[in-house]
Amino acid sequence: IRDIGAGVGTAGLLLALGTIAYLVLVHRGPGREIRALVLVAGLGGVALLVGAAAELAGIQAVFETGWRDVLAVDVSSAAMMRLLAGVLVVFGFTDGLAEPDDVPQRWTFGADSAFGLVGLAIGVLSFSFDGHTVTEGPRGLHLAANAVHVSAAAVWFGGIVALVVVAVMRHRTATSIADLVVRFSSVATGALACVAVAGGAMTLLIIDDVDDLTDTVWGRRLTVKLIGV
């Protein structure tokens, strides 16, 4: 249960953060597209919230504690941060539209989206309070590499999802997405490079021997992720 929750929560964070990054860095379009993408980010927040709750349920079962006591368990810190992040993301973003729906425009975030942005930051930092980030290598260096790794992966993954959503919407009106694809491709390339560099740095901080890549669960998961990328 804990592993499933962590997976769902991670996917939700990547979706929410990546969609917002896409809106800021790439998207230019009518209001209906911006509203749809803000909704997608909110759905990512829901997944983050549900995943964090499942994580806490799994921790509660493993440590055989009550729900009040599970909050005092050290390994609950990251899940609690993701729970808070999910709440902030779900309720923290608005479309910020200033022009009519049919006018191509950028998404602008102001004070009304501050809670959502704080939620995304908390979600990214939460991964620095569990796993190898806590136990291996210099804490500050590992924290920075992990934050870059998660953020860059979100820009890549969430951006692709956002681009697909826009493609589906524009297909109905026979509107081209070529300009968005070109704009996103450079962002995605940079993000994927950051994923590789930060992931490589974390691997060097964690790994003791090359055999760890095949003889440990962590190593086998890393190998699967590399093949997937």
Side-chain angles (χ1 to χ4, degrees):
I1 293 173
R2 181 185 176 190
D3 287 347
I4 292 173
V8 171
T10 300
L13 176 65
L14 296 183
L15 179 60
L17 177 56
T19 302
I20 294 300
Y22 172 87
L23 278 168
V24 173
L25 300 173
V26 176
H27 195 70
R28 307 291 185 275
R32 62 181 180 277
E33 293 177 357
I34 293 175
R35 287 196 183 92
L37 293 175
V38 171
L39 176 60
V40 170
L43 293 175
V46 171
L48 177 58
L49 179 61
V50 172
E55 274 192 272
L56 289 172
I59 294 170
Q60 186 268 339
V62 169
F63 287 89
E64 298 180 344
T65 66
W67 277 102
R68 179 180 301 176
D69 296 330
V70 74
L71 302 181
V73 178
D74 288 343
V75 294
S76 298
S77 300
M80 286 190 292
M81 291 178 69
R82 287 190 276 273
L83 191 72
L84 174 60
V87 172
L88 292 174
V89 171
V90 169
F91 298 104
F93 286 111
T94 64
D95 53 41
L97 295 175
E99 301 291 340
D101 275 0
D102 56 348
V103 177
Q105 55 193 295
R106 298 180 60 179
W107 178 73
T108 57
F109 59 90
D112 51 355
S113 293
F115 285 111
L117 296 174
V118 170
L120 292 177
I122 292 173
V124 170
L125 292 176
S126 69
F127 292 96
S128 300
F129 290 87
D130 61 2
H132 288 107
T133 311
V134 177
T135 60
E136 302 288 344
R139 182 70 185 277
L141 178 60
H142 210 151
L143 187 153
N146 194 58
V148 171
H149 189 67
V150 172
S151 300
V155 170
W156 186 79
F157 170 74
I160 289 176
V161 174
L163 196 60
V164 169
V165 170
V166 174
V168 171
M169 295 183 69
R170 291 196 178 184
H171 177 70
R172 299 168 183 168
T173 58
T175 305
S176 173
I177 64 164
D179 58 329
L180 296 179
V181 172
V182 171
R183 194 178 293 125
F184 176 67
S185 64
S186 59
V187 173
T189 300
L192 197 57
C194 289
V195 168
V197 172
M202 289 193 295
T203 300
L204 293 176
L205 291 172
I206 294 169
I207 197 171
D208 293 320
D209 189 272
V210 177
D211 291 338
D212 287 347
L213 295 176
T214 56
D215 295 344
T216 66
V217 174
W218 172 85
R220 290 191 289 271
R221 287 178 176 174
L222 174 64
T223 302
V224 170
K225 287 199 293 183
L226 288 172
I227 293 172
V229 171

